Amino acid sequence: MAAIQALRGTRDILPAEIRYWQQVEAVARDILGKATYQEIRTPTFEPTALFERGIGEATDVVGKEMYTFKDRGDRSLTLRPEGTAGVVRSFIEHGLGTQGGVQRLWYCGPMFRYERPQAGRQRQFHQIGVEVLGSPSARADAEAIAIATDILKTLGLKTLELNLNSIGDASDRDRFRAALIDYLTPFKDKLDADSQDRLTRNPLRILDSKDEGTQKILDQAPSILDHLSPESQARFEQVQSLLSALNIPYTLNPRLVRGLDYYTHTVFELQSQDLGAQATVCAGGRYDGLVQELGGAATPAVGWAIGMERLVILLQQLQSLPEPAIDFYMVSKGEPAEAQALVLAQTLRQAGFTVELDMSGSAFGKQFKRADRSHAAACLILGDTEAETQTVQLKWLDTGDQTAIAQADLLTMSDALQTRLNSRTREA
RNA sequence: GCGAGCGUAGCCAAGUGGUUAAGGCAGUGGAUUGUGGUUCCGCCAUUCGUGGGUUCGAGUCCCAUCGUUCGCCCCA
């Protein structure tokens, strides 16, 4: 019978890889905690209407990438394709904005989009993201970006490029859209097919077309930055000067536009040269209209999301994380000894040591071979003789030193054992 | 959704239509019946993602299907 395999676009994260995920989560948790961001967990499925209204019905994500289905109560559900809509729904539903002040929230978890899988792009993928709700200040944009770069830099990524743009507010964009259409229409026949199609549907998206011919035409196109209102422009300049004050280098990219409808003003992407076509590791921006769009009080907000799979790919290129260290490898043979070894292993674990118990029942020689391969600091050995005398042999694997210890004394020696273990770690 | 490449063991692979499917790593048994790292010997794919077809003969050619990789699209 054929074995059942993981679905297309889904994958298992095996123990050898999970260490990287845990490292990312630990670093993010620490940095976000220090900036007083609080974790929030929202459901992985939501009413379909939430994403249709939040992300925009005309977007590709909503139009052709959502996992949407009817449940047994005939409700239309969708597996979340991104994190922001759910967090905003929760923010409104629980009145998190009514306490005044700014809500700094972060989340992590799986997202779902029905796309053709590629390296760094799965159908179930994972994001870690933040949402800052309630501040219109440019400082909120700069703080959010600073925290993202801080997390990535702490993880060891030094070569990411920060692309920055402002797409202004709705009326800025209306004016720009008209100017862009005026400019592009005479060139319509020379644009690539996708861009021709977008000229009426979503002309801003033409700006980030990868087609060379289209890019050439765009060289002379009007820039969004020339169509910002004085207020939007001042706001964007403030974001830039704050980033400079934070010593965060960035590249102005007037052609950076986002595929989700809710963005306003600041948009940004952090990209790597080492990921192929899926280069964006972290992206986000301001979304001042979304809370109101979803039925809440008008609330300015900014956020971003990191693609975990892409980040982990980069980390694996960068460094190899060691296997977790084992303090003691428990070798035992013979029925009473094996029982005592189990009890002793539990006692040591409760005292804080990491103990691997060999349950193979194979010859001592084999068990020592495995002990060696486990890179444990020391072996604890129990055979018939030790079982009878209630002792245990302690053998340090680096020097080969071996001494007999009464089982009852092992815990009272734990400080000395810990000292010896620590000195070994320092040498290694 | 579109285009192209690739699927041989847990991993890396050789194999270019001719009969027993190299090799390495890992694993495992023994030399070594209570003491590791080296070494030596043995075992480890009735079968090449799956299903059809062509052929006297298919891992090798053809078709379909599934998976994967790269690009487009999209996006984190």
Side-chain angles (χ1 to χ4, degrees):
Chain A
M1 190 165 32
I4 295 173
Q5 299 178 326
L7 283 169
R8 182 172 171 79
T10 69
R11 49 191 286 279
D12 302 308
I13 303 162
L14 300 176
E17 187 185 332
I18 204 77
R19 297 198 284 269
Y20 294 90
W21 291 70
Q22 290 169 342
Q23 190 197 21
V24 171
E25 284 160 22
V27 166
R29 202 174 286 274
D30 177 54
I31 289 174
L32 290 165
K34 283 175 176 150
T36 70
Y37 283 70
Q38 294 187 287
E39 184 174 0
I40 183 170
R41 299 191 189 188
T42 65
T44 44
F45 55 88
E46 296 272 3
T48 301
L50 173 66
F51 303 114
E52 290 175 343
R53 278 166 62 185
I55 300 171
E57 303 209 42
T59 60
D60 288 291
V61 169
V62 171
K64 53 187 202 192
E65 293 177 2
M66 294 205 302
Y67 278 93
T68 296
F69 56 96
K70 289 270 178 76
D71 74 1
R72 289 165 193 267
D74 208 35
R75 289 170 279 254
S76 179
L77 312 183
T78 295
L79 302 184
R80 60 181 183 194
E82 55 98 57
T84 301
V87 171
V88 169
R89 192 225 80 235
S90 177
F91 172 87
I92 297 166
E93 186 167 336
H94 300 286
L96 297 183
T98 60
Q99 312 296 320
V102 174
Q103 285 284 324
R104 290 179 172 89
L105 301 170
W106 73 274
Y107 60 85
C108 67
M111 309 292 163
F112 307 86
R113 290 181 201 172
Y114 192 87
E115 298 182 278
R116 184 84 177 258
Q118 234 173 284
R121 193 175 78 184
Q122 256 70 48
R123 288 180 174 179
Q124 173 173 342
F125 62 104
H126 298 78
Q127 291 186 333
I128 179 162
V130 306
E131 314 295 350
V132 181
L133 295 132
S135 171
S137 169
R139 280 172 294 159
D141 307 35
E143 182 189 83
I145 292 172
I147 284 163
T149 57
D150 206 12
I151 290 169
L152 297 168
K153 202 178 279 180
T154 302
L155 286 166
L157 303 179
K158 312 288 188 202
T159 58
L160 295 181
E161 187 181 8
L162 172 61
N163 280 282
L164 186 70
N165 192 23
S166 172
I167 56 171
D169 61 20
S171 65
D172 296 338
R173 242 166 305 140
D174 284 345
R175 269 180 286 126
F176 176 60
R177 185 178 294 115
L180 190 62
I181 293 172
D182 281 350
Y183 170 79
L184 286 175
T185 302
F187 297 106
K188 181 169 182 185
D189 294 342
K190 292 177 183 152
L191 296 173
D192 61 280
D194 284 320
S195 294
Q196 290 186 23
D197 188 41
R198 288 200 193 104
L199 193 53
T200 47
R201 217 183 65 235
N202 194 353
L204 264 58
R205 305 272 323 152
I206 297 174
L207 292 175
D208 62 3
S209 166
K210 287 181 186 170
D211 184 82
E212 277 185 37
T214 300
Q215 280 294 330
K216 200 155 256 164
I217 294 167
L218 287 168
D219 282 345
Q220 304 300 319
S223 165
I224 177 79
L225 296 178
D226 299 326
H227 291 76
L228 297 179
S229 67
E231 295 77 26
S232 296
Q233 198 165 349
R235 186 176 197 296
F236 189 44
E237 278 163 14
Q238 204 182 347
V239 171
Q240 294 176 61
S241 80
L242 289 169
L243 287 176
S244 299
L246 285 161
N247 246 324
I248 298 173
Y250 58 88
T251 306
L252 271 191
N253 181 354
R255 294 190 193 164
L256 175 62
V257 289
R258 320 274 15 263
L260 310 182
D261 281 355
Y262 53 63
Y263 285 110
T264 57
H265 294 290
T266 311
V267 293
F268 70 94
E269 288 186 353
L270 281 153
Q271 296 193 323
S272 165
Q273 304 303 310
D274 305 320
L275 280 174
Q278 316 302 324
T280 302
V281 182
C282 173
R286 181 157 278 280
Y287 51 94
D288 287 344
L290 181 60
V291 179
Q292 193 166 28
E293 178 66 35
L294 292 176
T299 306
V302 59
W304 50 252
I306 288 173
M308 289 287 283
E309 278 80 2
R310 294 177 190 181
L311 179 51
V312 167
I313 289 170
L314 291 174
L315 290 181
Q316 287 176 315
Q317 290 173 3
L318 211 67
Q319 51 165 336
S320 64
L321 292 179
E323 284 178 42
I326 294 170
D327 298 326
F328 298 113
Y329 190 95
M330 189 75 69
V331 166
S332 59
K333 187 141 184 70
E335 216 172 282
E338 284 164 4
Q340 288 179 21
L342 172 62
V343 172
L344 213 53
Q346 279 306 99
T347 307
L348 286 165
R349 288 163 180 167
Q350 285 154 14
F353 295 102
T354 303
V355 183
E356 179 167 349
L357 177 66
D358 191 315
M359 299 205 224
S360 66
S362 45
F364 276 104
K366 291 291 168 201
Q367 294 196 46
F368 275 102
K369 263 183 199 181
R370 281 192 281 266
D372 198 57
R373 266 174 236 150
S374 79
H375 297 113
C379 265
L380 287 167
I381 306 143
L382 273 124
D384 293 335
T385 326
E386 289 77 17
E388 233 168 84
T389 57
Q390 297 284 306
T391 58
V392 60
Q393 298 283 337
L394 169 65
K395 175 172 182 171
W396 296 97
L397 286 171
D398 49 357
T399 60
D401 291 348
Q402 184 170 329
T403 47
I405 297 169
Q407 287 178 28
D409 290 345
L410 203 53
L411 270 195
T412 63
M413 294 175 59
S414 71
D415 284 350
L417 293 175
Q418 195 62 61
T419 306
R420 174 73 202 261
L421 288 168
N422 288 344
S423 72
R424 177 178 173 275
T425 319
R426 263 201 305 280
E427 284 160 24

